[in-house]
Amino acid sequence: MKSSRLVSILLLLQTRGRMTAAQLAEELEVSVRTVYRDVEALGAAGVPLYGDAGHDGGYRLLDGYRTRLTGLTADEAEALFLAGAPGPAAQLGLGSVLAAAQLKVRAALPAELRAHADRISGRFHLDTPGWYADADDTPHLPAVADAVWSSRVLHVLYRRWREPTDVERRLEPYGLVLKAGRWYVVAGPGPRTYRVDQILELAAQGEEFTRPEGFDLAAYWAAYQRGFHDRLHRGEAVVRLAPGTTLTGPAGEAVRRDGRADDDGWTRATVPIESVDHAHAEFLRLGTAIEVLAPHELRSKIARTVAELAQRYGNSRAPGGD
């Protein structure tokens, strides 16, 4: 819709400064000719927008010009307040800043959109940590966040899982990621990923670094997660699942993609596993709804556990009972 596109041009120029017609066209997924027409329409409407020719040219708004957020739709206003995430903001030391920003946005909204925003924030609450995990103790998170913002080098004492466990590292922090209630810092050289709660000591000595040009934190994290799962699930198991039984994660995807039905209605599939020990614990949870066919080591381990349980519970009388 043209009206929403005009508002988008205004907001892009307001937040990014000078942009060329080609850049605006790419951002809005329209032709350069369409951008030219939109810019003319904004000028005709009295928006103080001008263009410069040449290599460093482009469109700009007059210095000091700001547009009110009247272009927000009801859905956009709802999404804005749903994405507030006050918990993580508070951990970063930005709780009061977020509250002030939301207050200003709410004040700038028309009455009907303000009602939508209040409604969504009163009906949905984002709680990122899992049920069975204690909140991580991250006393160094604000300092790490400050180093991310200011491009300052950090010298840390970091605890890892393998020997030697406590190691010194020089980090160039590119960005922070919150995953399932746990904070990670992506840092160079590398880059590599570190858990913030495993930073034991931290010092910032004022040394600056240059963030790699074109580094995309979201793209890096997506690739890191894919690599993590590839490294995690290096083994395979052949299983049969009773009707109605489902697996989760990569194993569930493998069943949905490649599972085939046997004559008795059970589903046979080859699924990825982390290790024999991990698969042993996970598959035992399903009881008689799963049968492991391979590898032999996993099938034998489950059989031994089931035999021990049968022996233990074979006598219906509990120890010490009458």
Side-chain angles (χ1 to χ4, degrees), residues 27-320:
E27 188 74 31
L28 301 172
E29 298 182 349
V30 297
S31 67
V32 172
R33 184 180 298 274
T34 298
V35 171
Y36 289 150
R37 288 198 297 264
D38 288 345
V39 168
E40 290 179 1
L42 288 170
V47 174
L49 181 151
Y50 62 93
D52 294 324
H55 177 71
D56 296 325
Y59 293 108
R60 291 185 56 187
L61 291 171
L62 186 67
D63 290 343
Y65 177 81
R66 290 292 183 271
T67 180
R68 291 173 62 84
L69 295 174
T70 52
L72 282 176
T73 66
D75 289 343
E76 291 166 343
E78 290 177 355
L80 177 64
F81 283 86
L82 179 61
Q91 288 180 297
L92 289 169
L94 299 173
S96 60
V97 176
L98 175 65
Q102 287 189 330
L103 181 62
K104 290 177 181 179
V105 171
R106 181 180 280 108
L109 291 172
E112 64 275 12
L113 295 190
R114 194 179 309 130
H116 279 288
D118 291 339
R119 187 162 149 242
I120 199 75
S121 60
R123 283 167 171 75
F124 294 93
H125 175 70
L126 301 181
D127 184 16
T128 50
W131 278 110
Y132 303 105
D134 295 331
D136 290 332
D137 184 17
T138 53
H140 298 299
L141 178 61
V144 174
D146 183 66
V148 170
W149 284 115
S150 59
S151 297
R152 301 278 181 180
V153 171
L154 292 174
H155 295 270
V156 305
L157 180 64
Y158 185 77
R159 175 160 293 168
R160 59 183 185 175
W161 63 270
R162 65 180 183 270
E163 296 288 345
T165 56
D166 296 353
V167 294
E168 294 182 356
R169 289 288 184 265
R170 177 187 178 277
L171 305 183
E172 299 177 357
Y174 301 157
L176 279 164
V177 175
L178 178 63
K179 172 69 172 178
R182 177 167 289 161
W183 286 99
Y184 298 85
V185 58
V186 177
R192 299 181 64 184
T193 303
Y194 301 85
R195 281 176 49 174
V196 177
D197 66 311
Q198 296 302 305
I199 295 177
L200 306 178
E201 298 176 8
L202 176 149
Q205 300 174 347
E207 180 187 356
E208 296 185 5
F209 68 89
T210 301
R211 199 167 186 266
E213 185 176 355
F215 176 75
D216 187 326
L217 180 61
Y220 167 85
W221 186 255
Y224 174 79
Q225 288 190 97
R226 288 193 298 270
F228 174 80
H229 287 296
D230 290 343
R231 294 189 300 272
L232 195 64
H233 299 97
R234 291 181 172 177
E236 289 184 335
V238 181
V239 300
R240 296 179 74 239
L241 299 172
T245 304
T246 59
L247 300 179
T248 60
E253 294 176 7
V255 174
R256 289 189 292 273
R257 183 181 62 250
D258 302 321
R260 64 182 189 275
D262 286 343
D263 293 339
D264 56 3
W266 284 49
T267 300
R268 183 187 301 250
T270 300
V271 300
I273 60 172
E274 293 183 27
S275 64
V276 168
D277 288 341
H278 182 269
H280 167 263
E282 290 298 310
F283 292 162
L284 277 177
R285 299 173 189 269
L286 297 176
T288 60
I290 187 172
E291 178 187 2
V292 175
L293 304 179
H296 177 73
E297 180 185 2
L298 176 57
R299 181 179 175 90
S300 299
K301 187 177 181 67
I302 291 177
R304 288 194 301 270
T305 302
V306 172
E308 290 173 7
L309 288 172
Q311 182 179 7
R312 183 170 301 167
Y313 290 97
N315 184 352
S316 60
R317 291 173 54 188

